[in-house]
Amino acid sequence: MKFLDSLRDAFNFIIAPPICILCSSLIDTRLWDSAHICKDCFQHLPPSLNSETILTRFTRNFPESPNPFSFAFSLFDSSNNQKYLEIIHYLKYTKFKKIGYFLGTKLGEHIYNEIEKQGFNIDFIVPVPIHKLRRRERGFNQSEIISEAISQVTSIPVEFNLIKRNIYTQSQTQLNFDERKKNVENAFVLGKSSNFVQGKNFLLVDDIITTGSTLFNCAKLLKSVGANEMFLAVLTTA
């Protein structure tokens, strides 16, 4: 059986060798967990912004409302190097879901360490939802993949249906700040009874944060029906 597995692996390596999406180098998957990002590129990802810096953009971008978040987790920062946004592009648009699991696991390790250090109590992980038509187009929700990986590391359960996206909105990618804010207003509804939310602490998960409009509206919805503390986690900031 091991011989057949080795033969299959060798065949796959020849037909579709694992190549790093950032530097195009060959990846030895016997020594590294990802077949899409090499160890050297991962270790040289731009350091993540600290929580205070990330949360400042909510205070700045939504001055009319109190900041709903207590703490922010991020794996790396893409603000000054657009090359690293290619990682998110591959995850969302080329169906390289394993990138999401790999990076979600690394983000989960960071979250676990912070929870241990700071004593955070998080009841549920909540992936930012996408509309059912978007899911049909893409085939999956990248935030759910990241959430599942975080859950595997932290043992915090994922609540997939707590928030639903009831409006099919334009992609945020090409929109300016004001358009982003308007695009997701009233786009989310509660998928469970408000009794379930009341008094609990939630970790909202998305792939990327730019203006923060999507995360802000999801958090605002949960806070409006009695959520206690809100945390956020993203792979990258831009």
Side-chain angles (χ1 to χ4, degrees):
M1 193 68 178
K2 287 185 178 180
F3 172 75
L4 291 176
D5 289 341
S6 298
L7 191 64
R8 184 185 66 246
D9 291 343
F11 178 76
N12 290 336
F13 186 88
I14 294 170
I15 298 300
I19 301 295
C20 178
I21 61 176
L22 293 174
C23 71
S24 300
S25 64
L26 197 62
I27 301 173
D28 188 345
T29 52
R30 297 170 300 177
L31 304 174
W32 182 235
D33 296 336
S34 174
H36 303 296
I37 302 172
C38 72
K39 186 175 183 179
D40 187 61
C41 283
F42 176 77
Q43 291 178 337
H44 287 88
L45 288 175
S48 62
L49 301 178
N50 62 40
S51 174
E52 184 178 356
T53 302
I54 296 173
L55 296 188
T56 296
R57 71 180 62 187
F58 291 97
T59 305
R60 181 183 65 239
N61 292 344
F62 307 95
E64 71 282 0
S65 302
N67 190 335
F69 293 105
S70 299
F71 199 87
F73 306 93
S74 176
L75 190 61
F76 63 96
D77 178 49
S78 305
S79 303
N80 298 314
N81 195 329
Q82 296 297 301
K83 174 178 92 168
Y84 296 103
L85 289 178
E86 281 296 299
I87 297 172
I88 305 302
H89 175 86
Y90 272 93
L91 169 59
K92 291 170 78 166
Y93 303 115
T94 63
K95 302 185 188 301
F96 282 13
K97 292 189 283 187
K98 287 185 178 180
I99 296 176
Y101 284 113
F102 170 70
L103 294 177
T105 297
K106 297 301 182 183
L107 179 57
E109 291 170 358
H110 169 56
I111 293 170
Y112 180 84
N113 290 335
E114 285 293 327
I115 288 173
E116 288 291 295
K117 183 169 65 176
Q118 306 211 39
F120 294 140
N121 176 36
I122 300 172
D123 296 299
F124 290 97
I125 297 168
V126 180
V128 167
I130 59 176
H131 194 271
K132 59 183 179 181
L133 294 180
R134 184 82 68 197
R135 181 188 287 273
R136 192 177 303 163
E137 294 168 0
R138 193 172 296 162
F140 63 96
N141 177 359
Q142 70 279 358
S143 297
E144 291 182 0
I145 290 172
I146 300 165
S147 296
E148 288 172 351
I150 294 172
S151 178
Q152 286 291 317
V153 177
T154 63
S155 297
I156 302 170
V158 183
E159 186 55 58
F160 291 99
N161 299 309
L162 185 58
I163 303 174
K164 294 185 177 182
R165 196 161 193 150
N166 67 331
I167 299 175
Y168 182 80
T169 56
Q170 181 181 353
S171 171
Q172 299 276 79
T173 308
Q174 303 299 324
L175 302 181
N176 62 34
F177 171 65
D178 290 330
E179 290 170 336
R180 283 171 181 263
K181 289 180 71 172
K182 188 173 181 59
N183 192 45
V184 292
E185 285 181 359
N186 305 312
F188 303 100
V189 295
L190 201 61
K192 285 198 167 188
S193 165
S194 59
N195 291 334
F196 178 84
V197 177
Q198 290 171 7
K200 294 186 177 69
N201 302 329
F202 298 96
L203 174 68
L204 278 174
V205 174
D206 208 354
D207 54 350
I208 186 171
I209 177 175
T210 48
T211 62
S213 298
T214 300
L215 287 159
F216 175 81
N217 279 279
C218 287
K220 186 178 177 181
L221 172 64
L222 293 182
K223 292 288 273 188
S224 72
V225 291
N228 184 28
E229 283 197 280
M230 297 298 308
F231 300 83
L232 74 89
V234 292
L235 294 182
T236 189
T237 47

